[in-house]
């Protein structure tokens, strides 16, 4: 047996240090009141026409900073992630970079062709066919008809929508429009790609194709900025990141450091709430199926109740139950989704899959699920639990049990789950 301790193949950034995007001190304010916003707009236009309007850092009534003094650089071949909760200013920043809106203060310098993937398919004209929309969109992004002719088949192959390319876009599903929009933009081969949550659409096969294409583009020296609520997507694709919160730049730097700060902030704010212990009022007797869950919580290896389980450690998920009649062939189903990112279901276990059925006598009992190595990585999760008898009869269910997980000291914050392991050297 041979143990290969060499590093896995990773992307090697081009040696060029050319800066393709420079964002310096960008700030942008909006008004929460529509009428007042229109009034301010008329005033600003009049002042600008008269040559009197200057840059101002003063907020007028009902205004707020969507972005406040954001600065960073993007070099050729780099991939930068933008992270932050909803309303932090990520999409506003992409719109400024793409030239859709102007900043109130600061500057944004773009070198080369830019392709914004802020809303896939949003620029399509519904009554035109997919083919006509491809030619229209790619020409807007700076390609000649001859260049589009050369790349059209590649666009069609990547989108994989078949004969629908010659039917009006208004007949497309949202997924088909997204496929065609992504294929059109990436085959312009721009210098910079702006990607705003667009990889959250489509099936798993299409997402994998998109990631492979992004890797290929980076190898050609194309840079991109990616917005996603999925920490895993950012850490997989990007080597640097910027963390925005309420319009302010909290941290920028290498991806793992920025993600750790972002998840730590989300984790700490959420852990102040009632996570990790759920108390359920007892049902009236007429509503009971014979088993009522009155509490859900975790216990550690010593049998002590804990609010936050630790990834990789022995943990018990406990259901405190009140039993009013003899039950037989009872099974338990648990599904867990992540609260951040794409809200994917990442764990599903069923005692019947393990050929385990419980017989429970009347009284008070705890149903415990022992997990020798609690596998979930650091983050926030939501569990849905169902208890059935004879696989069909629903005894009780928990629609939502929210909890947080923290990492053990020997686990990197970038890991999505804990992998039990041993290390060996076998001499031959």
């Amino acid at each position: 047996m041979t143990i290969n301790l060499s590093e896995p193949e990773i992307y090697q950034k081009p040696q060029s240090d050319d800066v393709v995007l420079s964002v310096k001190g960008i700030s942008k304010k909006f008004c929460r009141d529509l009428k007042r916003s229109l009034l301010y707009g008329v005033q600003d236009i009049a002042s600008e026409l008269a040559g009197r309007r200057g840059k101002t850092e003063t907020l007028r009534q009902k205004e707020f900073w969507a972005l406040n003094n954001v600065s960073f650089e993007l070099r050729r071949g780099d991939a930068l992630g933008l992270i932050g909760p909803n309303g932090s200013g990520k999409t506003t920043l992409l719109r400024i970079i793409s030239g859709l809106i102007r900043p109130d203060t600061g500057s944004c310098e773009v070198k080369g062709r830019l392709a914004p993937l802020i809303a896939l398919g949003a620029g399509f004209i519904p009554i035109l066919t997919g083919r006509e929309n491809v030619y229209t969109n790619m020409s807007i992004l700076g390609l000649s008809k001859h260049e589009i002719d050369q790349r059209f088949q590649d666009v069609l192959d990547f989108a994989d929508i078949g004969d629908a390319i010659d039917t009006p876009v208004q007949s497309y599903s949202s997924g088909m429009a997204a496929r065609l929009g992504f294929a059109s933009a990436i085959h312009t081969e721009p210098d910079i790609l702006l990607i705003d949550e667009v990889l959250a659409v489509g099936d798993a096969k299409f997402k994998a194709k998109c990631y492979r294409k992004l890797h290929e583009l980076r190898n050609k020296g194309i840079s991109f900025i990616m917005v996603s609520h999925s920490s895993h997507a950012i850490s997989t694709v990007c080597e640097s990141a910027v963390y925005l919160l309420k319009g302010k730049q909290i941290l920028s730097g290498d991806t793992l450091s920025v993600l750790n700060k972002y998840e730590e902030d989300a984790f700490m704010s959420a852990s102040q709430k009632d996570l990790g212990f759920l108390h359920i009022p007892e049902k009236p007797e007429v509503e009971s199926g014979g088993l009522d869950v009155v509490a859900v919580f975790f216990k550690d290896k010593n049998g002590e109740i804990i609010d936050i389980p630790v990834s990789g450690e022995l943990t018990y998920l406990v259901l405190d139950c009140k039993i009013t009649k003899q039950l037989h062939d009872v099974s338990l189903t648990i599904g867990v989704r992540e609260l951040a990112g794409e809200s994917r279901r990442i764990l599903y276990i069923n005692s019947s899959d393990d050929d385990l059925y419980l017989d429970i006598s009347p009284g008070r009992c705890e149903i415990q699920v022992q997990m020798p190595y609690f596998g979930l990585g650091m983050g926030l999760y939501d569990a849905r639990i169902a208890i059935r008898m004879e696989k069909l009869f629903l005894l009780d269910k928990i629609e939502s049990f929210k909890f947080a997980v923290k990492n053990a000291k020997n686990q990197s914050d970038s890991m999505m789950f804990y992998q039990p392991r041993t290390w060996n050297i076998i001499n031959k």
Side-chain angles (χ1 to χ4, degrees):
M1 175 179 178
T2 302
I3 299 178
N4 185 359
L5 299 179
S6 62
E7 292 290 332
E9 182 181 354
I10 59 175
Y11 168 76
Q12 297 294 327
K13 184 174 71 173
Q15 294 300 311
S16 172
D17 287 330
D18 293 343
V19 175
V20 294
L21 173 66
S22 179
V23 173
K24 297 180 179 179
I26 278 183
S27 297
K28 181 63 180 179
K29 55 189 175 183
F30 293 117
C31 183
R32 290 187 173 91
D33 184 271
L34 177 59
K35 291 183 180 179
R36 194 173 292 273
S37 177
L38 294 173
L39 174 62
Y40 291 157
V42 172
Q43 291 174 347
D44 291 342
I45 292 173
S47 297
E48 191 163 325
L49 289 175
R52 295 195 304 268
R53 189 188 180 201
K55 301 295 184 183
T56 175
E57 297 183 359
T58 303
L59 291 177
R60 294 169 289 192
Q61 189 177 3
K62 297 288 187 177
E63 285 187 329
F64 68 97
W65 290 114
L67 289 172
N68 193 350
N69 194 27
V70 175
S71 301
F72 62 88
E73 288 184 340
L74 182 69
R75 299 182 182 277
R76 189 171 305 281
D78 276 353
L80 181 140
L82 281 181
I83 60 174
N86 290 331
S88 59
K90 304 184 296 296
T91 299
T92 298
L93 179 56
L94 291 193
R95 288 174 176 168
I96 290 175
I97 295 171
S98 63
L100 296 177
I101 57 178
R102 294 174 55 188
D104 289 301
T105 63
S107 63
C108 177
E109 183 180 356
V110 178
K111 296 180 181 178
R113 179 187 294 161
L114 185 147
L117 299 179
I118 296 177
L120 288 181
F124 286 165
I125 301 172
I127 61 174
L128 298 183
T129 66
R131 184 185 300 272
E132 292 165 339
N133 272 292
V134 168
Y135 274 84
T136 301
N137 275 15
M138 295 183 77
S139 63
I140 291 174
L141 292 175
L143 272 67
S144 66
K145 183 179 182 302
H146 177 68
E147 290 175 316
I148 301 174
D149 288 339
Q150 290 180 319
R151 304 179 190 188
F152 182 80
Q153 188 58 46
D154 292 334
V155 172
L156 185 58
D157 292 342
F158 192 94
D160 193 22
I161 61 172
D163 294 338
I165 191 66
D166 290 312
T167 60
V169 168
Q170 63 187 3
S171 66
Y172 286 12
S173 66
S174 57
M176 291 171 64
R179 284 170 174 264
L180 193 59
F182 188 92
S184 299
I186 61 175
H187 283 90
T188 63
E189 296 194 0
D191 297 289
I192 305 172
L193 269 172
L194 303 182
I195 308 170
D196 187 4
E197 290 289 357
V198 297
L199 296 184
V201 301
D203 54 30
K205 182 179 178 181
F206 181 68
K207 289 179 185 178
K209 184 191 293 189
C210 292
Y211 281 117
R212 288 196 299 270
K213 186 62 178 180
L214 290 178
H215 178 77
E216 177 187 324
L217 294 177
R218 286 197 64 193
N219 284 334
K220 294 181 179 179
I222 295 173
S223 310
F224 56 85
I225 298 176
M226 178 177 178
V227 172
S228 177
H229 287 100
S230 171
S231 297
H232 177 62
I234 293 292
S235 62
T236 299
V237 175
C238 304
E239 59 190 9
S240 60
V242 174
Y243 171 22
L244 298 178
L245 181 64
K246 295 181 179 179
K248 295 183 179 180
Q249 184 173 338
I250 304 300
L251 184 66
S252 61
D254 70 275
T255 302
L256 292 184
S257 298
V258 176
L259 285 176
N260 288 346
K261 173 63 176 173
Y262 168 58
E263 293 184 347
E264 179 183 339
D265 288 350
F267 174 79
M268 291 305 294
S269 62
S271 64
Q272 296 171 2
K273 304 174 184 178
D274 295 328
L275 293 177
F277 191 99
L278 178 64
H279 174 74
I280 305 167
E282 293 188 22
K283 299 183 182 70
E285 186 174 346
V286 293
E287 297 180 8
S288 174
L291 181 152
D292 298 325
V293 179
V294 296
V296 185
F297 50 88
F298 290 101
K299 285 186 177 181
D300 63 13
K301 61 183 178 181
N302 298 318
E304 300 292 332
I305 295 176
I306 55 175
D307 294 329
I308 304 173
V310 179
S311 184
E313 294 191 356
L314 171 63
T315 304
Y316 297 89
L317 174 61
V318 180
L319 278 66
D320 187 3
C321 302
K322 178 183 176 182
I323 314 299
T324 57
K325 63 182 180 181
Q326 185 68 36
L327 303 173
H328 55 88
D329 290 340
V330 175
S331 60
L332 181 69
T333 301
I334 304 171
V336 179
R337 293 183 180 272
E338 58 181 0
L339 283 176
E342 301 173 17
S343 189
R344 298 169 298 172
R345 187 170 74 178
I346 57 177
L347 178 66
Y348 181 83
I349 54 177
N350 191 333
S351 66
S352 63
D353 292 338
D354 299 328
D355 291 327
L356 177 66
Y357 299 91
L358 308 173
D359 291 330
I360 309 176
S361 301
R364 195 72 174 258
C365 75
E366 288 186 354
I367 299 177
Q368 297 186 349
V369 183
Q370 183 192 57
M371 293 166 279
Y373 300 96
F374 193 75
L376 300 178
M378 184 178 74
L380 301 174
Y381 300 91
D382 189 17
R384 185 173 183 178
I385 304 169
I387 305 174
R388 291 182 169 84
M389 185 170 67
E390 298 176 343
K391 294 187 178 182
L392 298 176
F393 182 71
L394 182 65
L395 296 170
D396 203 359
K397 65 179 178 179
I398 309 300
E399 292 290 352
S400 178
F401 169 55
K402 295 181 174 61
F403 61 94
V405 179
K406 60 183 178 182
N407 278 346
K409 293 181 180 179
N410 65 337
Q411 182 173 353
S412 167
D413 291 338
S414 64
M415 293 173 64
M416 295 182 65
F417 62 91
Y418 180 83
Q419 172 60 58
R421 65 264 192 188
T422 57
W423 304 85
N424 297 304
I425 295 178
I426 301 176
N427 295 319
K428 302 288 287 186

